[in-house]
């Protein structure tokens, strides 16, 4: 560099050098956010029976789309967070721990593993059949664990500087409704999109409450259901890897595949359904277009805060059928004395956004309440994440009226919702105190 002031004093030159060095160090110390994503196919070959919940599986004769494990990894400074989405009915914590053990580069408590809750995939709970057997395929379950870990490890290897958009908005159109009370559902869709320095999309994550059960397990089809077309459309239109994480879709927030001109019980508000692949395509593609609309105007940032907190929660299992799964499944679910199981909830902060995990299918009123208490307009609930403990409802709803009979029978008990809310609020309070 040419010195245009030849008579500058040695002190002035040393000061200028020190000032320039301090500016350089300050700019270098600014930790940029990194992102990476990857996909693995987990479709069984040959096809396996599919599960819609507790009870017998149904044989699958064909497939529509592939089941996948989709991973997104974010890193800021010394904090790394991994998110995995699996096209499965549910993925218990005992299996999540298998995956985490294969990804030592991320702290185990920072790996969030959720299931999309398709009702057209093999059983990964290994439900006991009451005759000494179970409905899981242990070799397939092991394959899922290995491929989920492969996706996470590849996403880690592909980390690169990124800009991140975060947005929450109302998803419009016929996507979801509540089977028990049509308008009792959260229509807010959360979207996280990471792009590289060249503007190319690395990943788009969609968070929305809906049961992917357009097809259901009675059609003889193995499929990611509407989530497949959602991800395919996002990747075709935006590029990168697409992920779907469910929300508070319990009791019974399902895909809006109603045939509105064919009521089955007009007095009680029931309709016949269109259980077709075309309907999966319609809803999935609509979700993709709404996600891209919602995230389009969000600012892209490269210096977002990233934190991840975890809290172990103990839950009593009052339900005899679910306790039988814990005790008799070959997966060897860890459990304590007195019919107690432990699970983990996470709170991730990404800029102004907060992501709270739910280890099952929380009813919408729990979701509405938790989002209201999260202290941000950018509130995300990752349902069926880190565990899959059936329906989660509050004490006042438990076995209170006939329409909630099924969700009460397939929940761990009336205390689950109260404990989840209490522990979630404690986790949020810890984060508030650290601000």
């Amino acid at each position: 560099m040419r010195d245009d002031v030849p008579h500058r004093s040695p002190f002035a030159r040393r000061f200028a050098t020190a000032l320039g060095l301090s500016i350089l160090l300050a700019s270098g110390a600014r930790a940029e956010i990194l992102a990476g994503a990857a996909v693995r196919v987990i479709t069984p070959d040959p096809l396996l029976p599919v599960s819609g919940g507790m009870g017998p599986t149904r044989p699958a004769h064909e497939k529509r789309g592939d089941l996948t494990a989709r991973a997104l990894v974010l890193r800021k400074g010394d904090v790394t967070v991994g998110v995995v989405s699996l096209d499965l009915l549910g993925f218990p914590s005992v299996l999540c721990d298998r995956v985490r053990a294969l990804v030592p580069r991320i702290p185990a408590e920072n790996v969030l593993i959720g299931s999309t809750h398709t009702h057209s995939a093999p059983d990964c709970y290994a439900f006991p059949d009451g005759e000494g057997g179970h409905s899981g395929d242990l070799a397939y379950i092991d394959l899922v664990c290995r491929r989920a870990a492969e996706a996470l490890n590849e996403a880690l290897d592909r980390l690169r500087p990124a800009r991140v958009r975060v947005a929450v908005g109302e998803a419009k159109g016929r996507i979801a409704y509540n089977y028990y009370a049509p308008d009792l559902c959260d229509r807010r869709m959360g979207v996280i999109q990471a792009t590289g320095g060249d503007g190319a999309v690395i990943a788009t994550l969609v968070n929305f409450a809906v049961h992917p059960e357009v097809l259901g397990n009675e059609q003889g089809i193995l499929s990611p259901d509407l989530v497949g077309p959602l991800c395919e459309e996002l990747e075709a239109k935006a590029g990168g890897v697409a992920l779907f994480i469910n929300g508070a879709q319990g009791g019974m927030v399902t895909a809006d595949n109603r045939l509105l001109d064919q009521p089955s019980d007009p007095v009680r508000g029931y309709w016949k359904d269109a259980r077709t692949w075309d309907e999966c395509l319609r809803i999935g593609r609509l979700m993709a277009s709404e996600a891209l609309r919602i995230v389009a105007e969000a600012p892209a940032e490269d210096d977002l805060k990233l934190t991840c907190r975890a809290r172990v929660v103990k839950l009593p299992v009052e339900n005899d059928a679910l306790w039988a799964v814990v005790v008799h499944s070959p997966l060897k679910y860890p459990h304590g004395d007195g019919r107690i199981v432990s699970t983990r909830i996470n709170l991730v902060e990404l800029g102004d956004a907060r992501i709270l995990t739910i280890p099952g299918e929380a009813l919408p009123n729990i979701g509405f309440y938790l989002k209201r208490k999260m202290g941000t307009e950018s509130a995300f609930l990752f349902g069926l994440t880190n565990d899959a403990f059936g329906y989660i409802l509050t004490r006042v709803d438990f076995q209170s009226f006939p329409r909630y009979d099924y969700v009460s029978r397939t929940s761990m008990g009336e205390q689950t919702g109260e404990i989840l809310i209490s522990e979630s609020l404690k986790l949020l309070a810890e984060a508030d105190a650290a601000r």
Side-chain angles (χ1 to χ4, degrees):
M1 178 182 295
R2 186 171 68 91
D3 190 343
D4 292 324
V5 188
H7 302 296
R8 180 184 292 169
S9 70
F11 172 79
R13 292 185 183 184
R14 287 196 301 271
F15 178 78
T17 301
L19 179 62
L21 182 60
S22 66
I23 293 173
L24 181 62
L25 289 173
S27 63
R30 179 177 177 273
E32 59 191 351
I33 195 159
L34 308 177
V39 182
R40 288 291 186 277
V41 173
I42 58 170
T43 304
D45 183 16
L47 301 180
L48 291 172
V50 297
S51 172
M54 294 181 65
T57 56
R58 304 291 181 92
H61 308 293
E62 62 176 304
K63 74 180 181 77
R64 293 293 178 93
D66 276 313
L67 307 181
T68 57
R70 297 167 176 269
L72 168 64
V73 174
L74 298 173
R75 175 175 290 166
K76 175 72 177 291
D78 60 356
V79 177
T80 304
V81 179
V83 179
V84 181
S85 171
L86 299 170
D87 287 318
L88 297 169
L89 181 73
F91 202 67
S93 59
V94 64
L95 300 181
C96 294
D97 287 339
R98 287 193 203 175
V99 176
R100 294 176 181 123
L102 298 173
V103 191
R105 290 180 288 170
I106 306 178
E109 64 272 17
N110 286 19
V111 176
L112 285 56
I113 303 176
S115 53
T116 63
H117 201 55
T118 175
H119 282 50
S120 302
D123 165 30
C124 276
Y125 294 86
F127 289 122
D129 60 10
E131 299 177 357
H134 59 85
S135 57
D137 184 296
L138 298 184
Y140 175 71
I141 290 171
D142 184 61
L143 177 141
V144 171
C145 291
R146 287 187 284 105
R147 291 195 177 166
E150 288 174 10
L152 275 170
N153 281 312
E154 182 179 337
L156 274 164
D157 293 337
R158 299 176 69 178
L159 283 173
R160 57 190 172 110
R163 296 171 65 83
V164 178
R165 290 183 170 89
V166 180
V168 175
E170 180 181 347
K172 299 178 181 179
R174 287 186 53 221
I175 297 174
Y177 80 111
N178 192 322
Y179 180 74
Y180 295 151
D183 210 34
L184 181 57
C185 58
D186 190 350
R187 302 189 188 280
R188 287 170 290 182
M189 177 181 285
V191 186
I192 300 171
Q193 187 175 76
T195 57
D198 57 359
V201 171
I202 297 170
T204 304
L205 184 153
V206 176
N207 177 218
F208 189 72
V210 60
H211 268 73
E213 56 176 353
V214 173
L215 299 175
N217 74 324
E218 299 179 357
Q219 306 298 312
I221 300 173
L222 184 143
S223 174
D225 206 88
L226 60 86
V227 178
L230 162 66
C231 291
E232 289 177 1
E233 187 79 353
L234 282 173
E235 291 171 351
K237 288 187 173 179
V241 172
L243 300 87
F244 172 76
I245 302 288
N246 226 312
Q249 37 62 275
M252 178 74 65
V253 180
T254 189
D256 193 353
N257 60 334
R258 295 173 292 176
L259 296 169
L260 295 176
D261 60 344
Q262 298 183 38
S264 59
D265 189 337
V267 174
R268 300 186 66 191
Y270 291 123
W271 291 263
K272 294 181 180 179
D273 298 324
R275 295 194 171 274
T276 65
W277 180 244
D278 282 344
E279 193 68 355
C280 290
L281 293 172
R282 180 191 70 79
I283 297 174
R285 290 170 178 172
L286 175 58
M287 290 179 69
S289 64
E290 285 299 283
L292 294 176
R293 176 186 65 80
I294 288 168
V295 81
E297 300 302 319
E301 302 179 68
D302 61 2
D303 193 25
L304 292 169
K305 172 180 70 174
L306 179 64
T307 67
C308 185
R309 289 178 170 79
R311 188 176 186 88
V312 174
V313 177
K314 295 185 181 298
L315 299 170
V317 185
E318 301 169 3
N319 184 314
D320 290 339
L322 288 180
W323 184 246
V325 175
V326 171
V327 174
H328 299 298
S329 168
L331 300 183
K332 302 186 184 302
Y333 292 87
H335 57 277
D337 297 332
R339 293 176 57 144
I340 299 293
V341 294
S342 295
T343 190
R344 183 165 68 231
I345 58 175
N346 282 93
L347 176 64
V348 175
E349 294 181 295
L350 179 63
D352 293 330
R354 281 181 159 180
I355 302 167
L356 184 66
T357 67
I358 298 174
E361 301 177 66
L363 267 64
N365 55 331
I366 294 177
F368 281 120
Y369 179 78
L370 289 175
K371 281 189 176 182
R372 181 163 63 85
K373 292 295 185 178
M374 288 171 72
T376 177
E377 293 297 317
S378 299
F380 291 69
L381 293 177
F382 281 10
L384 289 154
T385 297
N386 298 336
D387 236 320
F389 279 134
Y391 289 106
I392 301 174
L393 60 166
T394 58
R395 184 181 296 117
V396 295
D397 285 332
F398 186 81
Q399 292 184 343
S400 294
F401 52 99
R403 281 204 178 183
Y404 276 6
D405 177 62
Y406 173 73
V407 295
S408 298
R409 285 189 289 107
T410 50
S411 74
M412 290 198 295
E414 66 179 88
Q415 300 181 61
T416 311
E418 312 297 330
I419 294 171
L420 173 68
I421 291 171
S422 175
E423 296 297 320
S424 297
L425 294 180
K426 290 176 184 176
L427 192 55
L428 289 165
E430 289 175 8
D432 289 338
R435 283 183 169 182

